[in-house]
C-alpha cells in the first residue's frame, strides 16, 4: 500500500507564530485530504487537495503531486490550532491511508 | 443535520464478549467506513461500504464483521473481543466513491467510540 510520512512528528509553537507541516507519500495519488483532530478527539476535514493550492482563513495547503508531497501552512497560530494534523491519501478509490500525524501544541 | 453519529461513546468489554458499534449518517452519502486509531499508529481502515448492500475489507479486517443495514447505517461487530482490539473506533462517510472529486470524496467523521477490552 501507499506509505505516508509526516514531519515533524511534534511541534510546539508560540501563539502568533507560523508553521509548515509536511506530508510525503510513496506513490501517485488522486485523493489527498488534511484533517485536524482536536484535543477532544473530533476529526475535522480541512482540505481535499490532490494537487494545487487552497486557502481557508489562516490555513492553506499545497500539494505537488509530481514530487509526491503536500504542505499545510498555519499562519498566526492560535491555541485552538492545537491538536493532531493528519494527512491521508488514496489512489483510484477513497480508501484513505493515513500518516501518523503532526502533534501541534500552541502555547499562549 | 447531525452528520455522522456513533454509539456508544465508551465501552468496556471482557475478553471473549461480543458487541456491535453503531454508526449512522444523515447526509445521504453512498460510502461509509470504519477506522481504528491506536496511539502512534494514525488511523487504519477496517472495512468500508461503497454503497448499500456492499462491503469490502480494508487494511485490518481480522476479528471484525460489518453490516450495511441501509443507506444510513453501517455497523461494526466484534464477535469475540480481544485485548488487541482496545482502540478508538471512528466511522466516516463520503458522498460517492465512484464519481470522485472534492465534494464526493471528502470524508466526514463521527465522534468516535473508545473501546477497552480487559
Amino acid at each position: 500500500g501507499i506509505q505516508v510520512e509526516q514531519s515533524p512528528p511534534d511541534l510546539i509553537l508560540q501563539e502568533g507564530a507560523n508553521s509548515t507541516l509536511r506530508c510525503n507519500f510513496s506513490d501517485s495519488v488522486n485523493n489527498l485530504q488534511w484533517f485536524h483532530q482536536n484535543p477532544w478527539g473530533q476529526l475535522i476535514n480541512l482540505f481535499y487537495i490532490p494537487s494545487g493550492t487552497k486557502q481557508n482563513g489562516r490555513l492553506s495547503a499545497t500539494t505537488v503531486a509530481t514530487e509526491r508531497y503536500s504542505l499545510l501552512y498555519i499562519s498566526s497560530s492560535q491555541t485552538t490550532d492545537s491538536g493532531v494534523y493528519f494527512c491521508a491519501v488514496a489512489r483510484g478509490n477513497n480508501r484513505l491511508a493515513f500518516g501518523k500525524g503532526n502533534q501541534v501544541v500552541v502555547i499562549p | 443535520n447531525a452528520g455522522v453519529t456513533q454509539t456508544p461513546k465508551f465501552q468496556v468489554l471482557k475478553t471473549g464478549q461480543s458487541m456491535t458499534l453503531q454508526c449512522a449518517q444523515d447526509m445521504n452519502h453512498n460510502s461509509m467506513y470504519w477506522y481504528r486509531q491506536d496511539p502512534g499508529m494514525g488511523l487504519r481502515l477496517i472495512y468500508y461500504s461503497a454503497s448499500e448492500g456492499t462491503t469490502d475489507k480494508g487494511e485490518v479486517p481480522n476479528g471484525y464483521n460489518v453490516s450495511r443495514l441501509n443507506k444510513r447505517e453501517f455497523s461494526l461487530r466484534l464477535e469475540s473481543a480481544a485485548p488487541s482490539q482496545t482502540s478508538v473506533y471512528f466511522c466516516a462517510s463520503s458522498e460517492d466513491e465512484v464519481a470522485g472529486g472534492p465534494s464526493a470524496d471528502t470524508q466526514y467523521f463521527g465522534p468516535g467510540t473508545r473501546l477497552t477490552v480487559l
Side-chain angles (χ1 to χ4, degrees):
Chain A
I2 302 174
Q3 304 300 310
V4 182
E5 292 187 6
Q6 294 185 239
S7 60
D10 302 285
L11 188 61
I12 299 176
L13 296 171
Q14 198 73 44
E15 197 170 26
N18 303 326
S19 65
T20 301
L21 310 178
R22 185 176 180 103
C23 171
N24 292 331
F25 41 95
S26 62
D27 205 346
S28 60
V29 300
N30 59 1
N31 184 342
L32 188 148
Q33 301 182 38
W34 281 97
F35 296 87
H36 175 228
Q37 186 170 39
N38 65 26
W40 296 270
Q42 180 67 47
L43 280 154
I44 303 296
N45 192 293
L46 298 175
F47 293 103
Y48 172 90
I49 186 166
S51 64
T53 298
K54 288 187 178 179
Q55 181 155 6
N56 184 0
R58 295 179 298 99
L59 300 180
S60 63
T62 295
T63 297
V64 183
T66 53
E67 298 187 21
R68 300 182 185 170
Y69 73 88
S70 183
L71 302 174
L72 180 69
Y73 304 97
I74 305 174
S75 65
S76 304
S77 58
Q78 300 178 359
T79 54
T80 53
D81 295 329
S82 295
V84 183
Y85 291 81
F86 288 103
C87 171
V89 303
R91 176 183 179 184
N93 54 58
N94 212 8
R95 285 162 252 174
L96 293 174
F98 280 74
K100 294 184 178 180
N102 309 95
Q103 173 85 53
V104 173
V105 176
V106 181
I107 300 171
Chain B
N1 196 343
V4 180
T5 57
Q6 292 182 235
T7 56
K9 286 185 171 53
F10 302 93
Q11 183 71 49
V12 178
L13 294 177
K14 294 181 180 178
T15 296
Q17 287 185 317
S18 62
M19 79 160 296
T20 300
L21 281 64
Q22 306 286 354
C23 173
Q25 52 89 11
D26 62 2
M27 296 176 282
N28 200 37
H29 284 172
N30 290 302
S31 299
M32 297 185 73
Y33 314 83
W34 276 107
Y35 294 89
R36 60 178 288 173
Q37 183 178 25
D38 302 299
M41 296 288 291
L43 281 80
R44 292 181 292 170
L45 183 65
I46 305 172
Y47 269 95
Y48 71 98
S49 170
S51 62
E52 183 179 352
T54 68
T55 61
D56 226 326
K57 295 179 180 180
E59 182 185 353
V60 288
N62 291 345
Y64 305 95
N65 286 301
V66 291
S67 295
R68 184 73 182 269
L69 305 170
N70 47 56
K71 192 171 186 178
R72 288 187 64 250
E73 299 172 292
F74 188 36
S75 62
L76 179 71
R77 183 161 178 84
L78 287 70
E79 291 291 351
S80 180
S84 60
Q85 294 177 305
T86 293
S87 189
V88 181
Y89 291 86
F90 286 97
C91 177
S93 70
S94 64
E95 183 177 346
D96 186 345
E97 176 177 295
V98 175
S103 64
D105 288 349
T106 298
Q107 291 193 18
Y108 298 88
F109 281 77
T113 294
R114 187 172 295 273
L115 175 66
T116 301
V117 183
L118 302 174

